Amino acid sequence: MNWDEWKKTWKQALELFLALALAIAFYFFLLRFYSFKRSIGSVINILMPFIYGGVMAYLLKTPCNFFDKFWEAFLPEKWKKHKTGISVLTVLILVFLILYTLLRTVIPQVVSSITVLAGMVPEQVNHFFDWVSSYLNSEGVVQNYVRPIAEDLSTKMVDWANTDLLPYLQNIVANTLNSLVGIVSNLGIGFIVCVYALCARKKFARQGKAVVYSILNPKYADSFMNELRFADKTFDGFLSGKILDSAIVGLICYGFCLIMAFTRGFSNGILISLIIGVTNIIPYFGPFIGAVPTTLMILMSDPIGAVIFLIFIIILQQFDGNVLGPKLLAGSVGLSGFWVLFSITVFGGFFGFVGVLIGVPVFAVIYDLIRKLVRRGLQRHHKEELLEGENRIGEEVTETKPARLSPGEHLEQKLDERILRRELEAMEKAQEEEMKEKVTIDMEMPFGCVTEGLVKELELLEPVSYTHLTL
């Protein structure tokens, strides 16, 4: 065998070895799947403060970028190098003020609403038992059958409460306290991580980009960066739009509860609006999840008001789904209702409540990636006619009307214009100062030095003697 044949054989043997090694590794992965899952869970628990900090930093990234432009447009020149720290400090102060205002106004109302509900439940239960007793006393035949069953059921319920329910509630309280302590400590460390990440976000972005381009081919690196930008745009647009949408829905619901408080005596308006607004963050199922407990709360005190409130929630959901939601999200996801339902169901089943929240933008990124791969395959096999609603290669792209800018985008555009104007003014000012310095230096120099310098410059241009110009 010559060297080329040995090289080819060695390459084939190496490929076969790698294939067998991957197959064996995959077999042991399936065999030890639950152990691997527990190990991953332990790693995630260790990294939980950094996960919390990363999530908080990502949510605050957009307002920090906005304030970067804002302070660059209005800060003096000597303070511009500190604009990142000032922007982070501004955003953190605003977040703390918003949280303090919400907690100061919402928590007392929520506590009073829960106290009122806790006092109403025993009263409603007593009314129910009084009604049952009066009915049984009026119906002797029914009383003979029901009373032994009720007494036996009451005895079993007391025994069950003493033997099973109380220990179970004690375990729940203990586990809840432990979880709260862990969550508070993770949030404290996560806040510190969030501040560091926000201050160094541009540096981290440059380092990550350098790593990508150092590993991948430039063509694949460009594709990877484009997909990463699309994912960032999808997540950012969906989360910010959904939070704003839920806040507006909660405020509309609170306005309706205020009207009902004057007309029918609603007493839990803030608690009801808070539940409606928070559950509206969950796509598709959120309004229904929030409508059920709030309607039951109203039903205990005012059945007719509960019907009116249910009709209002249906109207509000139609307004949110057809007018407000599409206006705020502005096609940031681009999925049909079927794929939204599919993504919520699948990701919610795998990852619980977190999967319900992030399932739609994650699946939107996966869907876009699959769509691009399918389109590239169809173009490679010359089947572009199967592309529905897509611009094929060689076809003229029709001009579309530019989308109307949102108030935030319009404000950012104005800030960019102001920054550009200040940069042009600084350049013009620097040029004027440079010209003034040059004129001043020329005026301060002796006449002989000026003529000698002029002679040297002219001699560099042409090999001609200009000694007659020298004094």
Side-chain angles (χ1 to χ4, degrees):
M1 284 189 179
N2 54 19
W3 171 250
D4 292 335
E5 293 178 351
W6 273 107
K7 188 176 179 180
K8 183 178 179 180
T9 305
W10 173 254
K11 185 178 179 181
Q12 292 175 352
L14 183 60
E15 292 176 353
L16 180 61
F17 172 76
L18 291 176
L20 290 175
L22 289 175
I24 294 171
F26 183 70
Y27 169 75
F28 278 102
F29 170 76
L30 295 179
L31 187 64
R32 304 290 183 179
F33 177 74
Y34 291 102
S35 300
F36 181 77
K37 186 177 179 181
R38 285 194 297 269
S39 302
I40 294 296
S42 301
V43 174
I44 291 176
N45 288 330
I46 295 172
L47 296 177
M48 193 58 69
F50 293 90
I51 295 175
Y52 285 161
V55 171
M56 288 189 288
Y58 185 79
L59 292 177
L60 298 179
K61 170 181 66 71
T62 301
C64 283
N65 292 335
F66 169 77
F67 278 105
D68 275 351
K69 294 183 178 180
F70 178 81
W71 291 122
E72 186 177 359
F74 291 99
L75 279 177
E77 193 67 30
K78 62 181 180 179
W79 286 94
K80 282 187 178 181
K81 60 182 179 179
H82 304 295
K83 65 178 181 179
T84 301
I86 297 174
S87 301
V88 173
L89 182 62
T90 305
V91 171
L92 292 178
I93 291 174
L94 290 176
V95 169
F96 281 128
L97 288 177
I98 293 172
L99 289 177
Y100 175 76
T101 305
L102 289 176
L103 295 177
R104 183 72 181 271
T105 56
V106 171
I107 285 183
Q109 295 292 330
V110 171
V111 171
S112 63
S113 299
I114 293 174
T115 304
V116 171
L117 288 174
M120 288 175 57
V121 170
E123 183 180 355
Q124 297 295 329
V125 172
N126 290 331
H127 284 309
F128 175 74
F129 280 113
D130 291 340
W131 175 79
V132 172
S133 298
S134 62
Y135 177 76
L136 292 177
N137 291 329
S138 62
E139 298 290 338
V141 178
V142 177
Q143 183 178 3
N144 293 330
Y145 286 101
V146 173
R147 188 174 293 279
I149 298 174
E151 292 177 354
D152 183 54
L153 182 62
S154 176
T155 304
K156 290 183 178 179
M157 288 290 292
V158 172
D159 295 336
W160 173 76
N162 291 326
T163 58
D164 297 332
L165 182 60
L166 289 178
Y168 180 70
L169 291 177
Q170 291 175 357
N171 291 330
I172 289 178
V173 171
N175 293 331
T176 303
L177 291 176
N178 292 330
S179 300
L180 286 176
V181 171
I183 290 173
V184 169
S185 62
N186 288 335
L187 284 176
I189 302 174
F191 173 75
I192 299 173
V193 174
C194 171
V195 174
Y196 276 109
L198 287 175
C199 292
R201 65 188 187 277
K202 296 179 181 178
K203 180 180 179 181
F204 289 158
R206 289 194 300 268
Q207 290 175 348
K209 187 175 181 180
V211 170
V212 170
Y213 277 91
S214 65
I215 295 175
L216 299 178
N217 185 279
K219 177 182 177 182
Y220 297 110
D222 291 337
S223 300
F224 179 80
M225 295 302 298
N226 290 332
E227 290 299 324
L228 200 61
R229 293 188 192 97
F230 175 78
D232 176 63
K233 182 181 178 181
T234 302
F235 271 87
D236 193 15
F238 177 79
L239 294 176
S240 59
K242 201 62 183 174
I243 290 173
L244 180 60
D245 174 63
S246 300
I248 294 174
V249 168
L251 290 175
I252 294 174
C253 182
Y254 180 66
F256 176 78
C257 290
L258 287 178
I259 296 173
M260 295 298 291
F262 288 108
T263 56
R264 302 196 63 87
F266 271 24
S267 59
N268 303 314
I270 292 184
L271 180 61
I272 292 171
S273 304
L274 184 64
I275 294 174
I276 293 296
V278 171
T279 55
N280 193 71
I281 297 177
I282 303 173
Y284 200 82
F285 295 113
F288 304 102
I289 295 173
V292 173
T294 52
T295 305
L296 291 176
M297 288 166 53
I298 301 171
L299 184 63
M300 290 191 297
S301 58
D302 188 3
I304 297 177
V307 175
I308 297 174
F309 178 77
L310 187 61
I311 295 172
F312 165 74
I313 288 297
I314 294 173
I315 296 173
L316 180 61
Q317 170 55 24
Q318 293 300 316
F319 168 74
D320 179 43
N322 297 316
V323 179
L324 184 62
K327 198 77 175 177
L328 293 177
L329 296 176
S332 61
V333 178
L335 294 177
S336 63
F338 171 79
W339 291 118
V340 171
L341 178 61
F342 176 81
S343 60
I344 293 173
T345 305
V346 173
F347 284 88
F350 278 107
F351 304 105
F353 182 72
V354 177
V356 172
L357 291 178
I358 66 171
V360 175
V362 170
F363 187 79
V365 174
I366 297 173
Y367 184 87
D368 179 76
L369 184 60
I370 295 174
R371 181 181 61 83
K372 289 179 179 178
L373 293 175
V374 170
R375 180 175 180 175
R376 186 177 300 174
L378 291 175
Q379 291 173 352
R380 187 170 59 251
H381 294 94
H382 306 289
K383 293 291 183 180
E384 292 91 345
E385 66 274 6
L386 297 177
L387 292 172
E388 298 179 359
E390 302 259 357
N391 291 320
R392 303 175 200 161
I393 297 177
E395 290 185 351
E396 184 179 357
V397 180
T398 57
E399 294 184 359
T400 58
K401 187 178 179 180
R404 185 179 179 182
L405 295 177
S406 64
E409 294 173 342
H410 182 71
L411 183 58
E412 287 188 0
Q413 186 178 14
K414 292 295 183 182
L415 290 175
D416 291 335
E417 292 176 357
R418 180 178 175 84
I419 292 170
L420 181 60
R421 188 166 58 250
R422 290 190 65 179
E423 290 178 352
L424 292 176
E425 291 175 356
M427 291 175 60
E428 292 176 357
K429 187 176 179 181
Q431 291 177 356
E432 291 177 359
E433 291 179 354
E434 185 179 355
M435 291 295 296
K436 289 180 180 179
E437 291 178 358
K438 187 175 181 180
V439 171
T440 304
I441 293 173
D442 291 342
M443 292 178 65
E444 292 178 352
M445 289 178 62
F447 183 71
C449 296
V450 175
T451 53
E452 288 179 1
L454 181 61
V455 169
K456 291 180 180 179
E457 291 181 0
L458 293 175
E459 286 179 349
L460 291 175
L461 294 176
E462 293 184 19
V464 182
S465 175
Y466 292 96
T467 55
H468 62 280
L469 294 176
T470 306
L471 294 179

